[in-house]
Amino acid sequence: MSQIFNDKAIANLKTTVRYIAVDLSKVLLAFVLLEALLQVTAREYTNNVFDREFTAGHPIAVSSPGNRGPVVPIKKAPGELRILGMGDSTTFGTGIAAEDTWPAQLATVFQKNGTKATYINSALEGYSLKEINNVYRNLWSQYQPDLVVLAVDNNLVSMTWFRRDDKSVTANPYLEPIAKSKLAGLKNQFKILATPSWLKTNSQKCLYFLGLANNNMKPDVPLGATLALGWQQADFPPDVAERAWKQFETDLSVLRDSVVADGRTLAVVYLPTRFMAFDGFSDNEQQVPRQRLTIDAGKRLGEISKSLGLPYVDSTEGVRRGRSQIAQKEGRFAPMYIKFDTVHLDKDGHKAVAEDLFGLLGKSNQPQ
């Protein structure tokens, strides 16, 4: 009897294993077919590595002083126009190459117009205005920039508010030695695959579309792009957005004074969120309810800049114009932002910002 039972058990086990093998083969085949399709139709999902060395597969490329991009000597060359770009992760260039950030592209625009221009991208992810001012005074002011430009996205406003009482300055993590590991090396070997990134991104889209994820802020951690837009939420104090903007104005005036003390002028550019710049369904993949927003952040920043005597440009129209021009001249759709992101501009978005800044500063600023 036991032998019969054992024979049946073994037969059942073999059948189960066979079914599992068939199912795994189907999954593997589906993965291979999906990967092949994505490699042809959606290459932007490949190389989607974000770590200490790469941002969306692009080398971080932080130089020894701490700027993203090539090393720039402290002493300027004769006839050189030096651009200092300041900001947070958007200016830093999350998701794009160092040479595609707006400080680099602004230098290129100047060069095409006959000016010997160089750039310093001093931005870092998660910076607040106090940190930007601290790093400017203690480091970048020594590099004698001719143009000092602060790019403001909504995250910078919320971070400046959230860290208003911080006394310390965030250390640049890219200046620390990188501990090599076999796991990191293995991950880089698979960065060419598009399927993992595609599955992750589209599953997140589905969660927002189905209402299983939302944009609510934590009252004790009011971080995100919507605070600067006057986000309304039942359990969120209604005056926080106004207080955040007031704090931002105070800290911006301190940064202005630091720049003016060096005999320079601080210029400001606003970087809009995707869901405010455009109305398309694909431009609001996180389903942000715009009816709950009460502040025009670009207009508010313009008013603050005017009150502080700062040259200012709102790049909302520039980003819109950039998308339209690319469609007309190149026949392609330009998101202007990295995929599934409401804040961080892509290469085309940064180009639009650079062109706006050249329109603001190009004629009046020449090397000394």
Side-chain angles (χ1 to χ4, degrees), residues 216-227:
N216 286 346
M217 286 190 292
K218 297 179 180 180
D220 56 333
V221 188
L223 294 174
T226 55
L227 177 64

Side-chain angles (χ1 to χ4, degrees), residues 40-149:
V40 174
T41 63
R43 292 281 300 170
E44 67 271 18
Y45 286 100
T46 63
N47 294 316
N48 199 40
V49 177
F50 290 85
D51 57 21
R52 284 277 305 281
E53 296 181 89
F54 299 96
T55 177
H58 301 284
I60 295 293
V62 168
S63 299
S64 54
N67 61 298
R68 189 174 183 212
V71 174
V72 177
I74 293 180
K75 186 176 181 180
K76 290 192 302 182
E80 174 189 348
L81 177 75
R82 182 165 290 180
I83 302 164
L84 176 63
M86 303 187 298
D88 58 5
S89 56
T90 304
T91 296
F92 179 82
T94 293
I96 65 174
E99 61 270 20
D100 292 332
T101 61
W102 68 257
Q105 295 203 59
L106 179 57
T108 299
V109 175
F110 271 104
Q111 291 163 6
K112 290 180 178 179
N113 284 270
T115 301
K116 182 181 177 182
T118 58
Y119 76 96
I120 299 173
N121 185 343
S122 67
L124 189 64
E125 303 109 317
Y127 261 174
S128 67
L129 267 185
K130 285 183 179 179
E131 291 176 300
I132 291 172
N133 179 54
N134 187 291
V135 175
Y136 169 78
R137 287 190 295 103
N138 293 316
L139 179 60
W140 300 119
S141 62
Q142 305 171 34
Y143 283 73
Q144 305 171 312
D146 298 286
L147 302 181
V148 183
V149 183

Side-chain angles (χ1 to χ4, degrees), residues 159-201:
M159 186 61 73
T160 294
W161 168 252
F162 180 65
R163 302 184 60 193
R164 61 193 180 278
D165 297 323
D166 283 7
K167 304 300 181 183
S168 60
V169 177
T170 300
N172 191 326
Y174 303 111
L175 297 180
E176 299 294 327
I178 299 175
K180 297 293 183 180
S181 68
K182 293 182 179 180
L183 181 62
L186 182 63
K187 180 178 67 174
N188 289 334
Q189 293 296 320
F190 288 97
K191 67 182 182 181
I192 190 62
L193 296 177
T195 302
S197 176
W198 184 87
L199 289 173
K200 178 182 178 181
T201 300

Side-chain angles (χ1 to χ4, degrees), residues 9 19 53 57 81 171 221 232 247 249 258 296 305 321 353 368:
Y19 283 145
E53 296 181 89
L81 177 75
V221 188
Q232 293 184 329
Q247 182 69 50
E249 180 176 6
S258 295
D296 183 330
S305 297
R321 184 170 58 251
V353 172
Q368 302 298 316

Side-chain angles (χ1 to χ4, degrees), residues 298-368:
K299 181 179 179 181
R300 178 63 61 87
L301 183 59
E303 293 168 350
I304 292 173
S305 297
K306 182 178 180 180
S307 71
L308 296 177
L310 303 177
Y312 172 75
V313 62
D314 181 344
S315 275
T316 302
E317 287 303 321
V319 171
R320 291 170 178 163
R321 184 170 58 251
R323 174 183 282 188
S324 178
Q325 290 176 346
I326 290 172
Q328 293 173 5
K329 296 179 180 179
E330 303 179 27
R332 65 178 175 88
F333 173 74
M336 309 303 283
Y337 294 77
I338 65 175
K339 58 181 176 293
F340 195 61
D341 197 298
T342 63
V343 175
H344 297 102
L345 297 160
D346 65 9
K347 177 181 178 179
D348 295 322
H350 278 259
K351 181 180 180 181
V353 172
E355 291 174 345
D356 270 355
L357 283 169
F358 184 76
L360 177 70
L361 305 170
K363 294 182 179 179
S364 59
N365 288 274
Q366 297 297 326
Q368 302 298 316

